[in-house]
Amino acid sequence: MHDHIKALFVKHKIKHTHARLAIVEVLKEAKAPLNYEQIKAKMNLAMDKATFYRNIAMFEASGMIHKFESDDRKWYFELSSTTHAHFICDACHQIKCIEINMDTIEGDVKSIVLKGTCKECKA
Amino acid sequence: MHDHIKALFVKHKIKHTHARLAIVEVLKEAKAPLNYEQIKAKMNLAMDKATFYRNIAMFEASGMIHKFESDDRKWYFELSSTTHAHFICDACHQIKCIEINMDTIEGDVKSIVLKGTCKECKA
DNA sequence: CAAAACAATGCAACTTAGTCGCAAAGGAAA
DNA sequence: TTTCCTTTGCGACTAAGTTGCATTGTTTTG
Ligand SMILES: [Mn+2]
Ligand SMILES: [Mn+2]
Ligand SMILES: [Zn+2]
Ligand SMILES: [Zn+2]
């Protein structure tokens, strides 16, 4: 178990179990947000989806992860970091993390999702 | 039937039926995006949800309307206009149309959804 | 240590927004 | 009227995520 992951659990006051560790290890390595099926495929430990979603809910409540819905009616998860946006391409279905100018936005923004056709697919 | 709505159907090459008219009349009057239940409550004509969603799909394919998912796992619909963003408040659950600086965004953006706590609820 | 208390998990049944197949109804040609 | 195509209603279905409950695992306490 990496120290960094251990620190995450401590920081968010979550007890570490095998299941929780398996989920976070996948999210730690991920280059882009992942959904349940994708995380399940990469986990080194089988667990029931109820366990998965209950732990995900706990992570989210503590602020350790962040989730959003794509247009496939699935939730995508990633470890929390600075607020940034996600661009979901309706052609290649890739999800990219992007930065956005939020200077003029009022309120406390927690998630931003843009949908459309990405630069590569548009060309 | 208002001339403006008739023009919409002509523009998007969609035949007008009673069901289609009833849906668009509600969207025309709406001040913010609405979901199926909300539209159903305001329609002056009962129709099966299959009919509703099939017509919605047709509207969307033609570019006449625009849809996005909120965090309640429901789709919200509005008549197409200039590309703008929607802010969904996790406290009051209101959906507001807002403008965003998209100068630096690459790709062809079709929808932008921000989630968080709105100015009023944050205060 | 043993008993009790609490937390995490697996399983199966459930919920629900949206979908699909199909037959009936409507409307436009012919 | 007959034919052909479109639209609609109905009911069964799909699938991501939820929930209740019994079981297992981990602390706490006597
Ligand atoms: Mn990201
Ligand atoms: Mn809007
Ligand atoms: Zn793309
Ligand atoms: Zn609010």
Side-chain angles (χ1 to χ4, degrees), chain B residues 1-12 14 16 21 24-25 27-29 64 79-81:
Chain B
M1 176 178 175
H2 294 119
D3 283 349
H4 183 261
I5 295 182
K6 193 169 190 172
L8 271 182
F9 281 112
V10 172
K11 178 182 173 189
H12 294 91
I14 292 175
H16 53 276
L21 204 57
V24 176
E25 272 173 349
L27 292 177
K28 183 84 175 55
E29 295 305 313
M64 190 168 124
L79 288 182
S80 295
S81 61

Side-chain angles (χ1 to χ4, degrees), chain A residues 89-94 96 116-123, chain B residues 107-108:
Chain A
C89 177
D90 52 22
C92 67
H93 304 288
Q94 279 188 10
K96 293 187 183 113
T117 315
C118 79
K119 193 176 52 167
E120 288 76 19
C121 291
K122 185 187 166 192
Chain B
D108 182 13

